[in-house]
Amino acid sequence: MNNTDFVIRKAENEDIEEIAKLHTMIAEEYMSTIVPAVCHYSDIVVTNEEQESLIKEMMEDPDHDIMVACIDGKIVGMLSLVTETYSDDLLKAPFTTIEFMEVYPEFQSRGIGQAFMVEAEKLAKEKGHQYLELQVWDTNEKAIKLYRKNSFQPITQRMVKKI
């Protein structure tokens, strides 16, 4: 499969249910395989209804952009970007955060993540932002490889201890 086999487009209201299904599946099933320690620290239960509500809120927020990847009309991935309007101790606002980038496991390694990276940078530049930032799990080697390929550099490391 190559880049011409999928389409990246702006999410629409009728996509909310499908995006929520993807987001829920990633949280419930896939995350435990790439970050098993998270399951040790978090007992958060993700429901599809909560995710639908979250996605709907994000789509209504003018500071959010949600894109989807589709193959034969079926959503196989999603990209959520948010405009950060505050400066922190590392980045001057405004800047764009890649909040979520999720692709069903069976559709990974087909260029969708790279297409999302290109789209994220394009949208951030269109808004006049100087920075595109994200957070990634230390154990998500596949994602880290993609981000490094796209010139992302680590600047912090978050640590936790369960007590």
Side-chain angles (χ1 to χ4, degrees), residues 30-31 34-35 136-145 147:
Y30 188 62
M31 290 300 292
I34 60 170
V35 284
V136 61
W137 300 106
D138 282 346
T139 55
N140 194 344
E141 294 173 9
K142 198 174 189 181
I144 291 169
K145 183 178 177 183
Y147 302 146

Side-chain angles (χ1 to χ4, degrees), residues 116-129:
F116 276 152
M117 296 302 297
V118 169
E119 187 69 20
E121 188 168 332
K122 181 184 121 205
L123 290 170
K125 283 181 178 179
E126 286 175 359
K127 292 178 182 213
H129 297 176

Side-chain angles (χ1 to χ4, degrees), residues 4-133:
T4 60
D5 294 314
F6 61 84
V7 173
I8 305 287
R9 64 169 173 79
K10 185 171 179 56
E12 301 170 353
N13 284 333
E14 46 273 4
D15 298 326
I16 291 173
E17 186 177 333
E18 286 301 312
I19 296 169
K21 283 181 189 176
L22 168 62
H23 197 57
T24 301
M25 188 286 303
I26 294 292
E28 288 181 345
E29 299 173 26
Y30 188 62
M31 290 300 292
S32 65
T33 65
I34 60 170
V35 284
V38 170
C39 297
H40 175 73
Y41 292 111
S42 175
D43 58 359
I44 296 171
V45 177
V46 178
T47 68
N48 204 53
E49 293 77 22
E50 290 171 334
Q51 295 312 306
E52 283 185 28
S53 178
L54 171 71
I55 300 300
K56 185 175 187 297
E57 283 178 34
M58 290 165 50
M59 288 183 68
E60 292 171 352
D61 180 353
D63 287 333
H64 270 90
D65 291 290
I66 300 178
M67 307 300 290
V68 292
C70 300
I71 295 177
D72 296 327
K74 179 184 177 349
I75 293 174
V76 298
M78 69 91 77
L79 170 69
S80 170
L81 305 170
V82 63
T83 294
E84 305 292 358
T85 57
Y86 63 91
S87 294
D88 61 23
D89 56 341
L90 299 171
L91 301 176
K92 183 179 177 197
F95 59 92
T96 298
T97 295
I98 296 175
E99 190 173 39
F100 302 107
M101 186 167 68
E102 301 168 339
V103 178
Y104 281 112
E106 63 268 29
F107 295 100
Q108 293 177 3
S109 299
R110 298 182 183 193
I112 295 170
Q114 180 60 39
F116 276 152
M117 296 302 297
V118 169
E119 187 69 20
E121 188 168 332
K122 181 184 121 205
L123 290 170
K125 283 181 178 179
E126 286 175 359
K127 292 178 182 213
H129 297 176
Q130 294 181 2
Y131 299 102
L132 181 59
E133 68 98 30

